[in-house]
Amino acid sequence: MLSQFQASYRRMDQSLQRLTDSIAAYNPSTAAADELVAADDALNEDLGTLIQHQRNVLRIEELKRIAQDNDDRIKAHFRAVAELRKELAAIPSTSTSASARSVSIDELLSYARFISPTTLPPTFRKQDVPAQSLSRTADTESQPHIANGIATPPPGTHDDSQPGTTALVNGSNIGTRALKDEEKAWLDSVASLPFVPWPEQPTIANGALGQIQLMLEQGKDPATVLSPTERAAEEEKRKVEEEAERAEEEEKRRRRVEMFDAAGGRKRGREEESDVFDPDA
Amino acid sequence: MNPNGTAPPSRPRDPDFYAGYTRFEIECEFVQSLSNPLYIQHLALNKYLDDPAFIAYLAYLDYFRRPEYLKFLLYPGPTLRALELLQQEQFRKDAVTPALIEAMALEGFEAATAGTQV
């Protein structure tokens, strides 16, 4: 670039010199003037190129700056993302077993409704529970040390509770043992609870096992009760047997009719024809 | 039905059906009746808890802990607590004493009423 400029300057210079020489020699040559104009144009062109060149340099600088800025910004973003990811991983998450046991809300609510009657009566208030039944544990623990039958029952035991409490316990075996005072006491404490979160003895006795017990006591063998599939199989068998019987009867009737036809030559339509010999036939 | 009233000897017994109830119904009822401490005492007094086969059966009944079977229990808390206690030999030995049974009953009552205000 610089050499190009220098060449233009030199050219300009030379042409100017030539012109001034020619003017000094009283021989102005128009060619020299033209040459000068041309040199001037060339110089202008070069200046224009220079301006362009400078502008380009500035633009390049600016673009370099912008690129640097963008690079820095990207680096900052990447760093921020990495930090966030680290933070995210550092959050204490619930163990995977929780997700395996996740339950839908509907299931949960329906199950809550299912067990609510057996969990606590809605009218229950804890202050209604007599404190003596809760403190009874202290008394009963000391009772085994007292001689059997001699100790007076702890205060609050009801004498009329005995027939009721024997019925409470599963009667088949416990009822045969005589209740001692201490047992009366603890039975009473358990019975005096306003609510228990388990099935009571009558409930158990009316259940499946209770029914099986009843059947055994009545002498029926529970194994003879057929399951639905077995019942269906039995019905099928019975139907088949009945059909076989009916087919046999039809056969017999047909044979009888044939015999009559062969013997008397007359067709008897009535099927209740007796086999007694009829001399008029 | 069979006319003679006795079980036909040729038919093998269906393991999942007995006396008109399915095996699951019977097992579900039994495991829940275990939640009643008085029933446990009845079993202990009749020496059922000394039978290793019975104890193995109780261990088998632990499947009611799983969610797909738990949802059939009406008394889930006391039932599972009873199952857990019955696996301990000391508990099985002590189950005959009235004091332990009463303590268990009160524990169950307290656990059920724990959320209520006094």
Side-chain angles (χ1 to χ4, degrees):
Chain A
M1 190 103 196
L2 187 62
S3 53
Q4 194 180 338
F5 266 106
Q6 282 176 336
S8 325
Y9 279 131
R10 222 176 293 129
R11 190 175 160 203
M12 182 73 180
D13 203 27
Q14 278 174 357
S15 60
L16 188 60
Q17 187 67 38
R18 221 177 289 135
L19 188 60
T20 47
D21 284 343
S22 68
I23 290 177
Y26 288 105
N27 183 23
S29 98
T30 50
D34 286 337
E35 168 85 40
L36 186 66
V37 170
D40 189 40
D41 287 340
L43 202 61
N44 283 336
E45 269 179 46
D46 285 339
L47 280 175
T49 325
L50 175 68
I51 291 169
Q52 191 69 26
H53 178 82
Q54 292 292 24
R55 272 209 208 109
N56 285 347
V57 165
L58 282 175
R59 180 104 178 105
I60 286 176
E61 289 289 315
E62 194 187 330
L63 290 174
K64 271 197 196 143
R65 244 183 299 119
I66 290 176
Q68 186 66 31
D69 273 348
N70 284 343
D71 279 343
D72 289 339
R73 222 177 294 148
I74 282 183
K75 279 198 201 127
H77 285 324
F78 274 135
R79 223 172 279 131
V81 165
E83 297 263 327
L84 286 172
R85 196 176 295 211
K86 228 184 289 171
E87 256 177 69
L88 211 62
I91 293 174
S93 62
T94 54
S95 56
T96 48
S97 67
S99 59
R101 294 169 67 90
S102 61
V103 181
S104 76
I105 295 195
D106 295 329
E107 266 187 54
L108 210 56
L109 287 177
S110 62
Y111 186 63
R113 209 176 303 134
F114 179 55
I115 59 175
S116 66
T118 60
T119 301
L120 206 59
T123 56
F124 178 79
R125 287 173 351 156
K126 196 151 187 185
Q127 57 260 37
D128 294 344
V129 174
Q132 61 182 6
S133 66
L134 298 176
S135 63
R136 189 65 57 76
T137 44
D139 292 345
T140 48
E141 271 163 14
S142 61
Q143 280 205 342
H145 302 301
I146 306 172
N148 289 340
I150 302 176
T152 56
T157 309
H158 306 125
D159 287 324
D160 60 339
S161 68
Q162 184 165 356
T165 47
T166 45
L168 179 79
V169 180
N170 199 336
S172 56
N173 294 74
I174 305 277
T176 57
R177 296 177 52 212
L179 280 184
K180 304 194 182 82
D181 285 342
E182 56 211 31
E183 291 167 6
K184 223 195 316 174
W186 65 255
L187 272 178
D188 181 54
S189 80
V190 170
S192 67
L193 290 176
F195 167 79
V196 282
W198 49 68
E200 297 277 1
Q201 193 272 339
T203 317
I204 298 178
N206 287 334
L209 290 171
Q211 299 301 317
I212 292 176
Q213 175 105 8
L214 269 175
M215 287 171 76
L216 286 171
E217 284 168 6
Q218 289 169 0
K220 288 195 291 189
D221 180 12
T224 55
V225 179
L226 302 172
S227 71
T229 49
E230 288 170 340
R231 233 176 285 148
E234 286 271 336
E235 282 210 26
E236 287 283 328
K237 240 185 281 168
R238 204 174 0 111
K239 259 187 247 158
V240 167
E241 283 178 14
E242 280 177 15
E243 286 206 25
E245 279 187 34
R246 243 180 284 132
E248 275 195 46
E249 279 205 36
E250 284 284 332
E251 275 285 324
K252 264 190 239 152
R253 258 182 258 129
R254 234 182 292 131
R255 252 182 271 136
R256 231 181 289 148
V257 169
E258 281 182 16
M259 274 195 329
F260 269 117
D261 281 352
R266 270 197 294 161
K267 196 153 171 229
R268 303 235 183 225
R270 295 191 333 179
E271 296 180 351
E272 306 89 68
E273 202 64 47
S274 70
D275 284 333
V276 175
F277 173 70
D278 189 352
D280 301 327
Chain B
M1 282 294 276
N2 218 334
N4 6 355
T6 57
S10 53
R11 181 162 56 87
R13 189 167 108 70
D14 184 357
D16 285 333
F17 193 82
Y18 189 67
Y21 301 97
T22 59
R23 178 165 71 95
F24 182 69
E25 281 175 337
I26 295 176
E27 285 184 359
C28 188
E29 280 203 21
F30 177 68
V31 82
Q32 289 185 92
S33 54
L34 285 177
S35 62
N36 190 338
L38 296 170
Y39 188 66
I40 291 186
Q41 188 180 40
H42 162 69
L43 292 175
L45 289 168
N46 285 302
K47 307 281 184 248
Y48 281 104
L49 298 187
D50 301 331
D51 181 7
F54 191 76
I55 298 167
Y57 181 64
L58 291 174
Y60 155 74
L61 285 178
D62 217 38
Y63 73 85
F64 275 101
R65 237 175 251 281
R66 305 215 301 249
E68 56 263 28
Y69 295 106
L70 189 62
K71 62 184 182 188
F72 291 104
L73 294 184
L74 268 169
Y75 311 90
T79 304
L80 293 180
R81 176 81 178 132
L83 278 177
E84 180 190 333
L85 286 172
L86 281 165
Q87 289 305 311
Q88 298 170 15
E89 190 176 339
Q90 192 57 42
F91 175 80
R92 291 197 297 267
K93 285 208 184 75
D94 294 341
V96 287
T97 62
L100 180 69
I101 295 300
E102 187 191 359
M104 192 178 163
L106 286 174
E107 180 197 56
F109 175 73
E110 289 298 318
T113 60
T116 58
Q117 296 173 355
V118 176

